[in-house]
Amino acid sequence: MNLPAMHRSESAAVSRPEAANRAVGADPRPPHRAIEPGSRSCCCPSEPVAQVVLAPVGPRAHEIDLLLCAHHLRRSVPTLKSPGVAIYDRHGRLIEAPARVFGRDR
């Protein structure tokens, strides 16, 4: 993976007043920003289908976004089931079960 392709998440800096108005028991993660048309995956030249957000860990105090194509997302699902990892579709909606949404590699 090309590490310079990883970038700081812009969503962490965006104020989300609607998050404070959510009902108790609602999804704890607000919608993420959509993937911009013409974007390329971090791992290959394919069009991204998902945005993986890695939570801040240790000395890194900010989130990191990874744009993944369908193939690399399917291959990474076992690793991405870790705590602190959120997967969003191209529209910014949280994906609970990426393997079910994007199928399996053969």
Side-chain angles (χ1 to χ4, degrees):
M1 181 182 297
N2 183 1
L3 292 179
M6 295 190 300
H7 59 280
R8 186 178 187 162
S9 173
E10 297 296 324
S11 65
V14 175
S15 173
R16 298 189 188 270
E18 70 276 5
N21 297 330
R22 270 186 276 144
V24 175
D27 181 7
R29 295 180 189 260
H32 202 67
R33 64 179 158 63
I35 297 173
E36 295 180 21
S39 295
R40 291 287 161 228
S41 297
C42 297
C43 48
C44 67
S46 299
E47 181 180 350
V49 297
Q51 191 168 180
V52 176
V53 179
L54 306 175
V57 175
R60 182 175 43 84
H62 59 274
E63 293 179 334
I64 291 183
D65 289 349
L66 298 171
L67 300 178
L68 296 181
C69 66
H71 165 77
H72 284 103
L73 178 64
R74 286 190 302 265
R75 290 290 198 178
S76 303
V77 165
T79 304
L80 297 175
K81 290 183 180 179
S82 308
V85 176
I87 304 171
Y88 297 91
D89 68 10
R90 68 182 69 204
H91 304 289
R93 295 180 299 243
L94 186 65
I95 299 172
E96 295 292 337
R100 192 172 18 183
V101 173
F102 295 103
R104 293 193 172 128
D105 277 350
R106 290 159 185 76

